[in-house]
Amino acid sequence: MEMGSSIVKTGRWLGGTLLDQLYPPVCLSCDAPVATADALCSQCFRSLRSITAPLCPVLGLPFEASLGPDARSAEAIADPPPFERARSAVVYNDVARALVGKLKYGDRPELARFCGRLMAQAGHELWGPDAVLVPVPLHRVRLFSRRYNQSTELARALGRLTGLPVDPALVRRRKNTPHQVGLSGDARRRNVAGAFAAHPDSLRRLKGRRVVLVDDVITTGATIKAVTHALIKGGAERVDVVSFARVVTGSDA
Ligand SMILES: [Zn+2]
């Protein structure tokens, strides 16, 4: 018994040492050596641009200067979204793009943990006790080829940090829409129109809860608006959105 546990301990010690020697921790974005795992090097961390107050209370877009507590962005006034509030952790720039790319196409759960920590801070106003986290779904064909949905990974990381439940089946993608990259705002809207549907049993699953939709990147907002419409159709009364990154026009992306 004693011998067994010391073998286990030795094994664990050897395992840890060997792992560190074989795979010394590297920056999540650029692979430069770093002191601790699940982190960015200091240069990449400085390049990451957090979105903090002052910001539009509806769209979460950063303001250059504070315009007062209830001042909305011109975008939110011109085209009010179906969701109540959107919050994003960082501006979608080169470092954010590298992180999201690795999160999407590589099997890197430590990235979801890192992004989740920043999203938990950015979305702090949204973590009421009645909230349920719902990832923006991938179509099953794309899910099969990628093996996992990056937004589900982010929602699970957020669920662990906030203690909120995650319901990845509340809304599904019924149309395998082409990639949105390179499409204009109007084309994006047409592309995702009717692409999502709430679960037939969504009302019972929601039980009066507020939805916090989880996405990796907000570009024009066409996708999150389409998902919100599907959720409202399915009986959701309030929908908020949180993303890791967001395209901010006029910023040095
Ligand atoms: Zn780096």
Side-chain angles (χ1 to χ4, degrees):
M1 190 68 194
E2 187 134 301
M3 201 175 169
S5 80
S6 74
I7 287 171
V8 169
K9 270 184 201 152
T10 311
R12 211 176 279 153
W13 177 80
L14 268 177
T17 313
L18 279 174
L19 272 178
D20 282 349
Q21 280 172 7
L22 289 172
Y23 304 104
V26 293
C27 169
L28 292 172
S29 172
C30 74
D31 293 338
V34 286
T36 54
D38 298 0
L40 288 178
C41 71
S42 55
Q43 202 180 340
C44 287
F45 196 78
R46 273 198 305 275
S47 309
L48 214 51
R49 284 189 44 209
S50 297
I51 298 178
T52 50
L55 43 80
C56 168
V58 178
L59 295 177
L61 290 164
F63 286 147
E64 295 283 330
S66 181
L67 306 169
D70 296 320
R72 297 175 170 211
S73 57
E75 292 93 323
I77 294 166
D79 185 15
F83 51 81
E84 264 181 47
R85 299 169 289 185
R87 295 292 180 270
S88 306
V90 300
V91 172
Y92 192 57
N93 63 8
D94 287 343
V95 177
R97 185 179 299 118
L99 287 173
V100 170
K102 288 183 180 184
L103 182 68
K104 255 185 201 170
Y105 299 107
D107 205 355
R108 303 279 298 270
E110 73 277 19
L111 275 165
R113 287 198 291 271
F114 175 83
C115 298
R117 286 198 292 274
L118 300 186
M119 291 163 79
Q121 283 172 25
H124 66 94
E125 299 150 278
L126 316 179
W127 315 138
D130 61 339
V132 57
L133 301 165
V134 176
V136 168
L138 282 181
H139 189 266
R140 60 192 157 71
V141 171
R142 204 171 287 174
L143 183 62
F144 183 76
S145 65
R146 286 228 200 113
R147 289 182 298 132
Y148 73 107
N149 176 358
Q150 72 278 5
S151 297
T152 306
E153 299 304 305
L154 293 174
R156 293 212 168 106
L158 272 173
R160 280 188 290 272
L161 290 163
T162 58
L164 293 172
V166 181
D167 189 348
L170 193 65
V171 64
R172 69 185 173 88
R173 200 168 197 132
R174 56 184 178 188
K175 255 167 63 180
N176 194 9
T177 50
H179 283 286
Q180 303 265 72
V181 178
L183 297 181
S184 70
D186 271 345
R188 279 170 187 256
R189 254 196 302 283
R190 283 195 301 275
N191 194 22
V192 291
F196 302 93
H199 192 280
D201 202 15
S202 56
L203 258 185
R204 195 189 55 81
R205 289 172 92 110
L206 275 167
K207 293 189 202 93
R209 279 172 172 270
R210 200 164 50 80
V211 172
V212 181
L213 200 53
V214 181
D215 204 358
D216 53 351
V217 185
I218 298 174
T219 309
T220 61
T223 301
I224 52 172
K225 285 176 189 170
V227 182
T228 301
H229 282 305
L231 285 165
I232 290 171
K233 215 172 154 186
E237 283 174 22
R238 299 180 58 197
V239 179
D240 290 315
V241 185
V242 67
S243 79
F244 170 62
R246 136 156 243 151
V247 171
V248 178
T249 43
S251 72
D252 55 342

